[in-house]
Amino acid sequence: MKKWQRNAPCWCGSGKKYKLCHEAFDERILSYEKKGHVVPDRGLIKSAADIEGIKKSAVINIAVLDEIGEKIHAGMNTQEIDDIVATTTAKMGGIPADLNYEGYPKNVCTSINDQVCHGIPSKDVILRDGDIINVDCSTILNGYYSDSSRMYMIGDVDPEWRRLVEVTKEAMEEGIKAVRPWRFMGDMGDAVHQHALKNGYSVVKEIGGHGCGLEFHEDPFVSYVSKPGEEMLMVPGMVFTIEPMINMGSDAIFIDEDNGWTVYTDDGLPSAQWEVEVLVTDDGCEILSY
Ligand code: MF3
Ligand code: CO
């Protein structure tokens, strides 16, 4: 971490002198770094203006998922979900972040049953009674990113599958409860993991969450198979997603070779995912998008 002049305006943009603003904060981070912990650099600490910007972006992100919740039904194809994302986002002045992201061809990800994530909307994919689907929506407004996803259950869902969806949501909520400043990302990841294991499920290792806000995917990589006291130190001002993918069977996955995107469970059993974007605050955590 670069030294800052004590009487110079603080790096955070508050306009206050550094010694009266983030000096003690930086020293606290440094003390963890000296003990060998991974610590965030200043680029990951959001200013008050950044947080306002992300919250405005999230208003759209949330509205899109609400809208899908009202319209989703058996017989509908997933291109229609993509259309809702495009129209609702545009109407509210935003931009869907997925479109053209590393060549991704659609506005949103729609992952059904044994699709773990990155399902691509298509008019040929029709929702059937009993399906479980994750809709993962990411939004840009004035350069600020919001990212969240929800599960939707179509009609009459098998109780075992319903339980997977509910337990996955609980696991994410356990993760949220473990978000506290001056604790570790691994505390959060382990809270998610333990809840999944307790219920007989497995957690996908290779894909995880991410810092988010000024860019779509920022540091750190957010794992849900991490250990308490490990991974990056959480400090006030960090923004990241909690988005575990939880499998009913084994954690083994593969990527669709034809489209290069869609991830499936190896054993064909269902997978569920919920995603929330959170801010680390002075005394815990604030949900920005859900
Ligand atoms: N929304 C996903 C996430 O939660 C990323 C999707 S990238 C895409 O991080 F290109 F597939 F859209
Ligand atoms: Co995400």
Side-chain angles (χ1 to χ4, degrees), residues 97-104 106-109 118 136-138 147-149 208-210 216-217 241 243 261 273 275:
D98 286 0
L99 187 63
N100 299 322
Y101 174 78
E102 292 186 359
Y104 186 76
K106 294 284 173 174
N107 295 288
V108 70
C109 297
H118 304 162
D136 187 343
C137 181
S138 310
D147 185 9
S148 68
S149 81
H210 48 94
F216 195 171
H217 295 115
T241 67
E243 50 175 315
W261 280 103
Q273 178 181 28
E275 174 176 18

Side-chain angles (χ1 to χ4, degrees), residues 160-219:
E160 277 300 298
W161 289 38
R162 187 172 284 275
R163 195 173 79 87
L164 174 69
V165 171
E166 283 159 4
V167 167
T168 302
K169 188 175 189 191
E170 291 165 10
M172 178 196 67
E173 287 162 355
E174 289 302 312
I176 295 171
K177 282 193 238 160
V179 175
R180 304 193 68 80
W182 315 108
R183 304 298 301 246
F184 299 92
M185 296 295 286
D187 302 351
M188 183 282 296
D190 188 58
V192 172
H193 196 187
Q194 293 309 323
H195 193 72
L197 289 178
K198 201 168 72 187
N199 284 280
Y201 300 142
S202 68
V203 177
V204 172
K205 298 189 209 68
E206 297 88 338
I207 318 164
H210 48 94
C212 189
L214 308 186
E215 296 189 53
F216 195 171
H217 295 115
E218 302 172 359
D219 278 343

Side-chain angles (χ1 to χ4, degrees), residues 219-230:
D219 278 343
F221 171 74
V222 181
S223 167
Y224 313 101
V225 290
S226 42
K227 299 273 180 292
E230 295 185 359

